[in-house]
Amino acid sequence: MLSKSALQLMLMLAAWSGVQPGFAAVFAVNDSGTYVEPIARSAWRADQRGQRQSPLLDAATRVHVNLDVQAWKGQTARLYLIMGRSIAPNINVAWTTNGHLQSGRLAPGQRTLVYSGTIQSATLQDVLHMQIVTDSREFASALNVPFSFEIETP
């Protein structure tokens, strides 16, 4: 059992070193094997009365996730999907999966949990069936939505 002064010293050293007790280590995950299919379909939304086109665009695509998680094989971890800031701030993405990862939704600048548990193999694979909604008035050319994955370990 640690004395009160020893515990205070450990906390002070942790604060000085930048390590915060109870926080997990966070690492970027190599997703270079992941690829996105071309947009399968897109359509303009009708306005509230169904009379004319809205500036909102609905699109769908599939993302074939292939993550290199060899470094964490056998460890308990949490895996997050991150959507970076986009040229279109009003973009929302929702997805379902084939079952290995969790379904979810994201907006620019957010991250969401897609896996929690023991990493069983060197790669983690799944398919995200994405539905994308964006306001077409906010971009003038092809829309690039930056995604990445992070892993947290205890």
Side-chain angles (χ1 to χ4, degrees):
M1 179 162 218
L2 292 175
S3 69
K4 184 177 177 184
S5 59
L7 181 59
Q8 287 174 332
L9 178 61
M10 285 178 55
L11 291 173
M12 198 167 51
L13 288 172
W16 176 76
S17 68
V19 176
Q20 298 181 11
F23 279 50
V26 179
F27 305 94
V29 176
N30 178 354
D31 63 356
S32 61
T34 297
Y35 69 94
V36 180
E37 291 183 12
I39 296 291
R41 66 183 189 331
S42 63
W44 296 104
R45 278 198 181 170
D47 72 358
Q48 298 274 344
R49 299 170 305 240
Q51 300 295 318
R52 57 189 168 98
Q53 284 184 341
S54 157
L56 295 180
L57 180 65
D58 290 316
T61 190
R62 285 192 294 261
V63 178
H64 297 263
V65 176
N66 186 2
L67 304 175
D68 178 357
V69 291
Q70 174 66 39
W72 303 281
K73 187 176 176 183
Q75 295 182 43
T76 300
R78 291 185 300 255
L79 185 68
Y80 293 88
L81 177 60
I82 298 147
M83 182 198 270
R85 299 272 176 212
S86 171
I87 59 170
N90 289 323
I91 185 170
N92 290 289
V93 178
W95 63 91
T96 59
T97 70
N98 286 354
H100 206 84
L101 298 176
Q102 296 176 18
S103 299
R105 59 183 341 107
L106 275 175
Q110 294 181 342
R111 78 177 192 159
T112 192
L113 183 70
V114 293
Y115 181 84
S116 182
T118 303
I119 304 296
Q120 301 290 335
S121 62
T123 60
L124 200 150
Q125 300 174 336
D126 204 343
V127 178
L128 306 181
H129 305 273
M130 289 199 159
Q131 301 295 317
I132 303 162
V133 178
T134 189
D135 187 330
S136 63
R137 296 173 294 190
E138 297 178 353
F139 60 94
S141 60
L143 184 60
N144 181 19
V145 182
F147 287 102
S148 61
F149 290 88
E150 284 181 345
I151 194 166
E152 285 185 352
T153 58

